[in-house]
Amino acid sequence: MSSSNSVTVQILDKEYSIICPPEERNNLVSAARYLDGKMREIRSSGKVIGADRIAVMAALNITHEMLHRQETPDVVSGGTTREQVRDLLERVDNALADDTGTKNV
């Protein structure tokens, strides 16, 4: 891969240059931002000191979230993401219709 496929991300005030396919660039940047946010949360708590330890705690927290989502069936969480979006759109439409109805009264 060429250097044009290199993406520079910043995690906990350090820059990392990572090579990835162009179609994965946005996902990589999003993942780096998410990781950076988790690491900053842990650092700001003051309970964990040192970048290595913060990184391990962030990795454990993220892995725990991921495994918890996999264990939770879609039925319990309210269906698939597509169904959840449809439900939200329907609720927004209903709320807007109700709001419009009360203004006309």
Side-chain angles (χ1 to χ4, degrees):
M1 288 189 188
S2 69
S3 62
S4 65
N5 291 337
S6 178
V7 178
T8 302
V9 296
Q10 194 165 22
I11 301 171
L12 211 59
D13 304 323
K14 288 188 177 181
E15 284 191 353
Y16 298 89
S17 186
I18 302 165
I19 295 174
C20 75
E23 64 273 9
E24 290 296 320
R25 183 182 193 103
N26 290 336
N27 288 337
L28 175 62
V29 170
S30 293
R33 283 186 187 142
Y34 187 77
L35 176 59
D36 181 61
K38 288 292 185 182
M39 290 179 70
R40 288 179 185 281
E41 284 176 23
I42 293 167
R43 182 176 69 179
S44 69
S45 77
K47 295 178 182 177
V48 181
I49 299 171
D52 291 346
R53 290 177 183 258
I54 291 171
V56 169
M57 291 305 297
L60 285 171
N61 288 336
I62 292 167
T63 303
H64 179 265
E65 289 172 7
M66 182 193 72
L67 292 174
H68 181 70
R69 285 186 192 138
Q70 286 177 349
E71 290 173 358
T72 307
D74 281 345
V75 176
V76 174
S77 67
T80 65
T81 303
R82 188 179 302 261
E83 290 168 342
Q84 290 173 342
V85 170
R86 266 193 227 124
D87 182 51
L88 281 173
L89 287 173
E90 185 177 318
R91 290 179 7 199
V92 168
D93 287 342
N94 290 338
L96 290 173
D98 290 346
D99 190 42
T100 305
T102 56
K103 286 183 180 177
N104 291 334
V105 174

